[in-house]
Each structure stands twice: as structure tokens, then as C-alpha cells.
Amino acid sequence: MSKRAVYEPMMVANLAKGDLVPWLAKSFEWSKDGLTLSFSLNDGITWSDGKPLTAADVVYTFDLSRKVLGDATYDYVDSAKAINDTTIQFTFNRAYTPGLYELGGMLIVPQHVWKEVNDPATYQNPDPIGSGPFTQVANFSAQSYDLMRNPNYWQSDKATYGGIRVIAYGGNDAANIAAINGDIDFGLGFIQDIQKTYVDVDPEHRGYWFPAVGSTISLSLNTTRKPYDDVNLRKAVSIGIDRDAVAKRGMSGYTHPADCTGLSDAYNSWRDADVVAACDWTTYNVDAANALLDKSGYPRGADGMRTTPAGDPLTFDIGVGSASTDWIAVAQVISDDMKELGIDAPLKVQDWSQINQALFGGTYNGNIAWGPGGVTPYEWYRGAMSCKTVKPVGEEATQNFHRFCSKKADQLLDQFAAATDGEQQHAIMDQLQALYSELAPTIPLFPGPEWGAYNSTKFVGWPSEDDPYATLSPSGSSTVLVLTTIHPRD
């Protein structure tokens, strides 16, 4: 939350509604050929030290991102230029419509501060200067710190309260206890039976909203290793998973089973009903799963356990972080289901740092995993199937952990990115959904809930299903919308 309280983007992505909200920028414009994208900033924006925020700061932020993250960052951009104090023009080397969301979502930093920093990648930034509503650090400790109101906030009529306190908890249990005790206004993660344990304690003031618009959570099998590179194996495993039990027992009913598009509810407007209707590999059917394994060369021995075509035991572990009690429950459901297929799939529960080292480095067999998100499904499918996102084993991956490559997916992704017509984009996205269903690069389990609960004893105006102006997650892309909408109770 603190990062988005201090620094702001030109456009805010609200996954709850699947749209972009103008923020630092009041508008954007594409050239007819799709090779130039211009943003127009609002007038009178200042940094927290009172200096003006201009187009030069946006260009500097763009160049700094490339310097720190590498030239491959925003590789579709040839140049960024400040036309005047409020107009930024990005010139592309190819038509790439997702650039709107990527460039618009950059958190802008002040050039006059960061140009003096010798090593931006390691800079601790003890006294941040930002454009956001809360920028003044106070009462800093290892457990919590306060961010007081930006005295020069450019939206003077918003976020008029004194500040926010950011508290670090060691895990879900500690945070949940604090919330139940009434010590948290905004936050919370997974908690069993939230209605009973949290809301019913004070139903007049407490509520929650868990829209299933986060990244789809999947069982990821490492496709660089045999036999997990076999689509029939992946589909058989998928058919053998009771997703209703995953959602109800593992996730306490806070979400629902995924379908074979792999899309979360953030992309309902993109979902191809024909692909969903034709799919059978995300429907629980133990007999069909066993039949597919038999047909695909995974024989069952006298002990009931299967072997690979090479004669090795058919097994994979399910990696999951020890702090994620909900995902551990999900993994246990899957592990139990695999016994009905003759597959040994034990849980591998470790600290997330250990799990992520194997997951990101491609040295795992199976893992509970996630994928990238955005305003459209482009980022999800790019992270699931694009050859351009595949990293060599041992090199850290930030997406496509399963290291799956489809040249056809790349062709469709490029076509989608170049298309400027909405109808054309939807037609291409239908093809991507069909391809994902054909290839099953990951085994989608459920759309991830965007966790969020509130206590309105002190503040009101929280987002909800009836008023989805943002998600209720304190770590979401739309957090600044929440911070600038809530206000103290009268």
C-alpha cells in the first residue's frame, strides 16, 4: 500500500471494473497508425516538496526504468519525449496496444531527486518525495510506520485526513487476530469463515469483498522435465482434480472453479462461451482421468501406482509456501485426488523464499502458482504460453514459471497487440483461449480472490460489490482510489 500512497501513475487500473481511470494524466491519444501514444497531464500537479511535476519527470521515470531493469523493458518503445510541460509522447517501433496499460501504469518519480542517486536499484529512499496523498514518513519501526498527508497534494479536496499507519505482520494469523480485535481499518487476507469470525463481531461496521478478479491460481508442472511436458498427462491430472472441493474446502468458498480458458473474473467480457462449452479437461471425472492416463502410456502397477512410459514412478511434489494456509489446504485436496489416479503427489511445504527459488529458477516439479495480470487477458496468456517469456532453467523467471513455449501463441499475441479495433481484438483473444484449452500449459484451479475487508468505525466510503470503484485490496493497483475516496466518519 505504501508505494502507491507515495507514488502515482498516469492511469490507474481498476480490475474490479476492467477499466482505466485517468489520474496524473487526464487523457491519452493514439496516432492513426498506432505507433505514437501521447499522454496529457493534469495542470498544476506538484511533488510533495512543492516543485512541479511535469512531462520531464515521466520521461525520466521511463528512462530510469530501462536503466535499472534493462533495455528489454518497454522494448516496443523507440523514444519518449516531453513535448511540453504536460504532454508526453512515446514513439513505438511496432504497434503495441498493451503499451497503454504498461506505460500508463508506471509509478512516476521526481527527476530532481532521483538524478542525484548514485545507485537507484539499491537506494533506500528514507525521505520520499512523491505526488501521492501520503508521503511524509513518521514513527518508523520494524513493525510499523506512519505516512502523513502530503502537504502539497495536487488533489486538495481528496484524502484530507491526517495519514495512514502501515503495519507489518508475521503472517495471516497475526493480521487476522488484529483485525478481529478491531485494530485494522483496511486489509486482511485469507481467514476461515470471515462472516462469523470477523463480520459478526460488529456487523454494523465490518464488511468484506473478495471479487475473483486476481490472477488465476494454477497447479504448475515444470514442462522442461519429462513427463510433465506431455499435454495428455497435464490434462489427465486436471480432470482428476475436484475443483469444487478445492474452492470449498481449500478456499473456504471464497472463489469458484476455473474453466479451461484459465481466465479470472476480471476478463468475463472476453471469455469465449464456445470454448468453455467445448472443454472437458477442467471437469472432475476420475474415470475419464484414469482412462486418459491408460491411453497415454502411464500403466498402473499391482500396487495401484502408475509409472511413466520410461518405467519411472509417476510422481510430482506440490510446492507451497508455509505461510499460505489456504493454498496448503488446496494442495492437500489435489494430493488426495491424485491417489485416485495412482499418482504420488506429496506436499512440499517450505518457507516462500525456498519455494520461490525453485519456482522462479525452474528447478521444481509441481507448484501452486500464479500468473501476470492486466486490464486485458493479454498479459495472462503471454505469461502462460509465450516463447518470449521462457527463461533458461536456472535463470530467474518472473512469469511463465513452467517454461512453456508456443510459437502459435506468440503469433496471436503479436496480432492482438497490433490490433486497434475492439472487435478484431476479441476475435484474436477467442483464438488464444482455444489454444490455451488445446495445450493446457498450466492447470487452472480457481480465479484468485482480491482479499479485502474493512472496518467503518472510523472511516467510510469503502469499495464494495455495489460500488466497485476499486478493489478492496490494500496491495492492488487501485489502492490510491481507495485512499482518496474514503473519509472519516462524521
Side-chain angles (χ1 to χ4, degrees):
M1 173 166 39
S2 58
K3 178 173 65 175
R4 294 185 181 276
V6 175
Y7 301 108
E8 298 176 307
M10 290 188 287
M11 313 288 287
V12 177
N14 176 18
L15 294 181
K17 296 176 69 174
D19 62 8
L20 281 179
V21 180
W23 205 247
L24 293 178
K26 59 185 177 182
S27 63
F28 65 89
E29 183 178 7
W30 286 102
S31 61
K32 290 184 179 180
D33 61 6
L35 295 178
T36 302
L37 174 61
S38 299
F39 291 93
S40 295
L41 299 178
N42 284 291
D43 296 324
I45 305 176
T46 61
W47 295 106
S48 53
D49 61 2
K51 294 184 179 181
L53 187 158
T54 70
D57 292 300
V58 177
V59 173
Y60 175 80
T61 300
F62 171 81
D63 291 337
L64 181 64
S65 297
R66 275 190 163 173
K67 178 181 178 181
V68 173
L69 300 175
D71 291 339
T73 306
Y74 309 119
D75 64 345
Y76 49 87
V77 177
D78 268 346
S79 64
K81 181 180 180 181
I83 303 301
N84 52 45
D85 282 350
T86 59
T87 306
I88 309 97
Q89 184 180 88
F90 293 96
T91 302
F92 290 18
N93 52 48
R94 64 182 187 275
Y96 185 76
T97 54
L100 168 62
Y101 315 119
E102 295 176 9
L103 296 168
M106 284 191 307
L107 297 182
I108 309 304
V109 300
Q111 179 180 12
H112 67 278
V113 173
W114 286 83
K115 70 179 182 180
E116 305 297 333
V117 176
N118 291 327
D119 188 356
T122 60
Y123 181 50
Q124 295 296 310
N125 198 17
D127 298 303
I129 302 298
S131 68
F134 302 101
T135 57
Q136 313 301 299
V137 179
N139 303 317
F140 188 89
S141 73
Q143 287 74 40
S144 70
Y145 60 90
D146 296 343
L147 281 175
M148 309 309 290
R149 193 177 192 276
N150 175 355
N152 295 298
Y153 191 45
W154 60 283
Q155 300 184 93
S156 60
D157 61 332
K158 295 188 176 188
T160 56
Y161 50 99
I164 59 177
R165 174 162 295 163
V166 182
I167 305 173
Y169 293 100
N172 281 349
D173 290 345
N176 292 343
I177 291 172
I180 292 168
N181 290 338
D183 297 331
I184 295 176
D185 298 304
F186 171 37
L188 201 63
F190 173 81
I191 182 173
Q192 291 278 0
D193 196 354
I194 187 171
Q195 183 66 40
K196 179 179 180 181
T197 58
Y198 176 72
V199 176
D200 288 351
V201 174
D202 185 3
E204 181 181 352
H205 298 106
R206 297 185 182 187
Y208 71 96
W209 182 38
F210 298 161
V213 297
S215 172
T216 295
I217 306 305
S218 303
L219 171 61
S220 176
L221 296 178
N222 189 342
T223 65
T224 68
R225 297 181 171 182
K226 290 185 176 300
Y228 318 123
D229 60 339
D230 180 4
V231 62
N232 286 334
L233 171 63
R234 296 194 299 272
K235 287 189 172 182
V237 168
S238 177
I239 297 169
I241 296 174
D242 185 350
R243 285 173 174 77
D244 285 332
V246 165
K248 292 176 183 177
R249 296 209 312 265
M251 297 299 294
S252 295
Y254 296 143
T255 183
H256 58 83
D259 61 42
C260 61
T261 68
L263 297 179
S264 81
D265 291 6
Y267 311 120
N268 281 340
S269 65
W270 294 89
R271 195 182 313 275
D272 186 346
D274 291 337
V275 173
V276 176
C279 174
D280 60 3
W281 61 272
T282 54
T283 301
Y284 181 50
N285 188 327
V286 174
D287 290 341
N290 277 311
L292 182 55
L293 288 168
D294 291 339
K295 179 181 177 181
S296 302
Y298 299 91
R300 203 161 194 163
D303 60 356
M305 304 306 290
R306 293 186 181 273
T307 56
T308 70
D312 299 318
L314 180 55
T315 180
F316 59 85
D317 46 86
I318 308 175
V320 63
S322 56
S324 299
T325 54
D326 49 347
W327 287 8
I328 292 174
V330 166
Q332 188 61 62
V333 171
I334 297 172
S335 179
D336 291 343
D337 286 344
M338 291 301 100
K339 294 175 184 176
E340 299 298 315
L341 308 185
I343 298 174
D344 183 28
L347 272 62
K348 183 179 181 181
V349 179
Q350 296 178 316
D351 184 84
W352 266 118
S353 62
Q354 296 173 284
I355 293 293
N356 287 343
Q357 184 176 5
L359 182 65
F360 298 167
T363 59
Y364 71 103
N365 289 332
N367 220 91
I368 303 297
W370 57 95
V375 178
T376 75
Y378 173 87
E379 287 79 7
W380 163 254
Y381 285 126
R382 189 173 187 272
M385 299 188 288
S386 172
C387 299
K388 298 175 183 178
T389 60
V390 174
K391 298 289 186 182
V393 172
E395 185 175 325
E396 184 174 274
T398 57
Q399 55 185 316
N400 200 344
F401 309 125
H402 48 288
R403 288 165 165 78
F404 185 88
C405 171
S406 167
K407 293 182 179 179
K408 184 176 180 181
D410 278 328
Q411 293 173 354
L412 291 171
L413 288 164
D414 287 345
Q415 291 172 23
F416 179 89
T420 56
D421 176 75
E423 187 174 335
Q424 183 182 9
Q425 283 193 326
H426 273 269
I428 297 167
M429 192 53 66
D430 289 349
Q431 295 180 65
L432 278 164
Q433 292 174 63
L435 184 63
Y436 178 90
S437 182
E438 174 191 341
L439 301 176
T442 60
I443 300 172
L445 301 173
F446 54 86
E450 283 285 294
W451 306 113
Y454 64 83
N455 185 330
S456 65
T457 302
K458 300 174 184 175
F459 289 85
V460 296
W462 303 101
S464 66
E465 186 174 3
D466 294 331
D467 186 15
Y469 70 82
T471 62
L472 194 51
S473 168
S475 59
S477 59
S478 56
T479 298
V480 71
L481 301 181
V482 179
L483 296 177
T484 53
T485 301
I486 61 171
H487 53 89
R489 178 180 286 276
D490 294 334

